[in-house]
C-alpha cells in the first residue's frame, strides 16, 4: 500500500537519523478498502548509503627453492563505518484506544546494520 503525501506537512521528509530516518507525519494513509494507491511514487526516497573499505596485504618469504611461507593480513570495513539497514517502512497500524492517529511508533526507525564492524584477520600459508 502506498501512502499519500500529507498536504499540511512542512519541513524535510528525510531526517537522516537512525532513530527516525523519515518523518511519518509527512504521509497519510489511503482510505481503507478504497482500492486507491497513494501519490507517493515507488523509490521516491532513498535509505542510508552503504560504503565499506576492505584492505589486505601479504608478504611471501622463500624458505627453500620449492618452499614458501606467506603471511597475510586482511581488514574488512577498514574505516569502521556504520552501514545502517533500511528503516522500518510500516507507517500505519490500525487505530487503537491509545493510538488514535494510526501512526506506528517505530515508523522510520533503523534497528540494525547491514555490515559488521571492523574485522581483522591474519593468516600464515605454507606453499610447496
Amino acid at each position: 500500500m502506498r501512502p499519500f503525501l500529507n498536504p499540511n506537512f512542512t519541513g524535510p521528509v528525510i531526517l537522516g537519523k537512525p532513530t527516525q530516518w523519515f518523518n511519518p507525519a509527512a504521509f497519510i494513509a489511503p482510505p481503507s478498502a478504497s482500492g486507491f494507491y497513494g501519490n507517493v511514487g515507488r523509490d521516491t526516497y532513498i535509505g542510508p548509503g552503504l560504503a565499506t573499505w576492505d584492505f589486505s596485504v601479504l608478504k611471501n618469504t622463500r624458505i627453500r627453492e620449492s618452499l614458501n611461507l606467506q603471511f597475510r593480513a586482511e581488514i574488512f570495513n577498514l574505516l569502521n563505518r556504520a552501514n545502517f539497514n533500511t528503516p522500518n517502512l510500516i507507517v500505519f497500524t490500525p487505530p487503537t484506544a491509545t493510538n488514535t492517529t494510526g501512526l506506528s511508533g517505530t515508523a522510520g526507525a533503523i534497528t540494525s546494520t547491514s555490515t559488521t564492524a571492523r574485522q581483522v584477520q591474519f593468516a600464515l600459508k605454507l606453499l610447496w
Side-chain angles (χ1 to χ4, degrees):
M1 173 171 77
R2 264 187 242 153
F4 286 99
L5 283 175
N6 186 349
N8 299 324
F9 179 78
T10 57
V13 175
I14 303 296
L15 302 174
K17 298 181 290 188
T19 54
Q20 192 170 52
W21 188 259
F22 62 87
N23 191 339
F27 308 103
I28 53 176
S32 61
S34 66
F36 289 111
Y37 286 110
N39 61 0
V40 177
R42 182 178 176 172
D43 298 332
T44 302
Y45 302 107
I46 60 170
L50 182 113
T52 181
W53 284 26
D54 298 336
F55 177 77
S56 67
V57 62
L58 62 95
K59 168 75 173 148
N60 288 321
T61 305
R62 181 170 293 222
I63 298 172
R64 286 194 215 131
E65 184 177 329
S66 63
L67 189 63
N68 291 309
L69 183 67
Q70 183 182 78
F71 173 75
R72 179 183 297 262
E74 298 172 326
I75 304 171
F76 304 100
N77 196 3
L78 176 68
L79 301 178
N80 205 24
R81 181 182 191 271
N83 290 300
F84 296 114
N85 253 338
T86 55
N88 181 8
L89 300 176
I90 298 173
V91 178
F92 302 103
T93 58
T96 62
T98 57
N99 182 5
T100 57
T101 62
L103 284 175
S104 171
T106 60
I110 297 175
T111 57
S112 62
T113 57
S114 59
T115 58
T116 59
R118 180 186 304 129
Q119 294 181 342
V120 180
Q121 68 183 24
F122 300 102
L124 281 175
K125 187 176 186 181
L126 188 61
L127 304 160
W128 67 86

